[in-house]
């Protein structure tokens, strides 16, 4: 019997071809869980060559089914409470319960504008998706867990950017600081029900979240996105502070998520765990 057989997991931000949400969905499905996959659109765009025909959530559900589990795709904006309610309703209608929430959905926002330069509209957009969206989905799912809480798990993908300041990234850093505070508080509030809540802080993971930054960098250098991607492929930018000497992969985040939603982590709650190659 697979370790998550009979469990139902809800994974947000699962539609990107190179995303952590997709990797998590497949990791948990491989352990026997049925998966509700959520994203703001059916097939988020990717700038990487070969991704042009990506069909998004539709493919992820097909991959889940191929692993022997059931999948349900829901298109929703987690920053809107009515959309979040719809996600939970559809999940309960299909599977009758939610045992696991893995909240991956987030946006990066532009890199560069300082606090005094940042447009209020951009600030609000990042905070609404990253922080308010986290609050809404955690609140809605936690409500469904309390009546039958045994073995329930919540994992929120935060960021190392929620542990230090980063010039030019104020909205993202502020939102992730808030997400960590949300996770720690929720863990204490749900501990009485024996529901575990933890957060993961990725650093440089090779996902589509950096696409916007790559496009901006190509524009600054006056070259095409394809040229910049080739340069990165030929000589990947490791940065000066990654002792393991490489970027992380979504599958490695998924492995950590699996540990935190399995019975192996039953005595771990209220923690934030960095996955960063030793950088912090």
């Amino acid at each position: 019997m697979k370790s998550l057989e009979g469990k139902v997991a809800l994974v947000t931000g699962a539609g990107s071809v190179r995303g952590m949400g997709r990797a998590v969905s497949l990791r948990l499905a491989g352990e026997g869980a049925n998966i509700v996959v959520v994203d703001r659109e059916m097939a988020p765009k990717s700038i990487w060559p070969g991704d042009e025909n990506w069909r998004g959530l539709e493919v992820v559900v097909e991959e889940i089914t191929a692993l022997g589990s059931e999948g349900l795709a829901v298109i929703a904006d987690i920053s809107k409470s009515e959309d979040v309610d719809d996600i939970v309703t559809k999940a309960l209608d299909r599977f009758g319960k939610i045992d696991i929430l893995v909240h991956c959905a987030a946006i990066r926002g532009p890199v560069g504008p300082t606090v005094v330069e940042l447009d209020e509209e951009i600030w609000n957009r990042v905070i609404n998706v990253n922080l308010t969206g986290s609050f809404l989905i955690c609140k809605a799912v936690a409500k469904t867990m309390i009546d039958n809480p045994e073995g329930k798990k919540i994992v929120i993908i935060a960021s190392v950017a929620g542990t230090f300041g980063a010039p030019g990234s104020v909205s993202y850093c502020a939102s992730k600081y808030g997400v960590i505070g949300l996770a720690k508080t929720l863990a204490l509030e749900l501990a009485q029900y024996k529901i575990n809540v933890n957060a993961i802080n990725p650093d440089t993971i090779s996902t589509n979240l950096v696409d916007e930054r790559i496009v901006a960098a190509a524009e600054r250098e006056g070259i095409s996105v394809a040229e910049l991607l080739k340069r990165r492929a030929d000589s990947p930018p490791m940065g000066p502070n990654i002792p393991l000497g490489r970027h992380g992969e979504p599958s490695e985040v998924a492995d950590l998520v699996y540990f935190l939603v399995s019975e192996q982590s039953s005595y771990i709650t209220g923690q934030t765990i960095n996955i960063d190659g030793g950088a912090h």
Side-chain angles (χ1 to χ4, degrees), residues 25-99:
S25 298
L26 300 184
R27 183 69 172 89
L28 303 190
E31 296 294 338
N34 297 321
I35 315 290
V36 180
V37 289
V38 179
D39 214 302
R40 187 173 50 185
E41 52 188 317
M42 176 60 79
K45 296 292 186 290
S46 171
I47 65 172
W48 295 82
D51 295 349
E52 294 83 5
N53 298 318
W54 172 243
R55 293 183 287 113
L57 293 178
E58 183 181 343
V59 175
V60 179
V61 169
E62 291 172 358
E63 292 172 326
I64 290 167
T65 303
L67 290 167
S69 295
E70 295 183 44
L72 171 67
V74 181
I75 300 172
D77 182 345
I78 59 159
S79 69
K80 298 178 180 177
S81 57
E82 60 271 23
D83 279 25
V84 170
D85 290 341
D86 185 56
I87 294 168
V88 172
T89 297
K90 287 177 177 175
L92 296 179
D93 285 348
R94 175 70 176 272
F95 296 114
K97 62 174 182 172
I98 302 170
D99 298 295

Side-chain angles (χ1 to χ4, degrees), residues 146-274:
I146 287 173
D147 289 340
N148 183 24
E150 186 174 351
K152 300 295 195 291
K153 310 275 189 172
I154 295 174
V155 176
I156 305 172
I157 303 298
S159 173
V160 293
T163 64
F164 56 83
S169 295
V170 61
S171 55
Y172 188 71
C173 286
S175 70
K176 292 301 185 177
Y177 264 89
V179 165
I180 291 171
L182 168 67
K184 288 181 173 289
T185 302
L186 187 62
L188 297 177
E189 293 178 348
L190 296 182
Q192 62 182 307
Y193 305 106
K194 306 300 186 287
I195 298 171
N196 300 65
V197 183
N198 292 288
I200 292 174
N201 291 339
D203 192 356
T204 47
I205 309 295
S206 300
T207 73
N208 291 117
L209 192 64
V210 300
D211 284 6
E212 184 178 347
R213 194 188 314 180
I214 291 172
V215 171
E219 291 176 353
R220 285 196 304 271
E221 295 187 32
I223 61 176
S224 69
V225 170
E227 287 179 273
L228 185 56
L229 289 176
K230 185 177 185 309
R231 183 190 303 172
R232 287 169 63 95
D234 293 340
S235 180
M238 293 304 163
N241 299 312
I242 305 178
L244 288 184
R246 64 175 178 84
H247 289 173
E249 296 298 328
S251 61
E252 294 173 307
V253 177
D255 286 338
L256 178 54
V257 169
Y258 168 64
F259 170 70
L260 290 174
V261 303
S262 73
E263 288 306 307
Q264 297 171 18
S265 64
S266 59
Y267 200 54
I268 299 174
T269 197
Q271 303 305 304
T272 55
I273 302 174
N274 287 2

Side-chain angles (χ1 to χ4, degrees), residues 104-117:
C104 302
I107 59 174
R108 184 63 180 81
V111 176
T114 64
V115 173
V116 297
E117 297 166 339

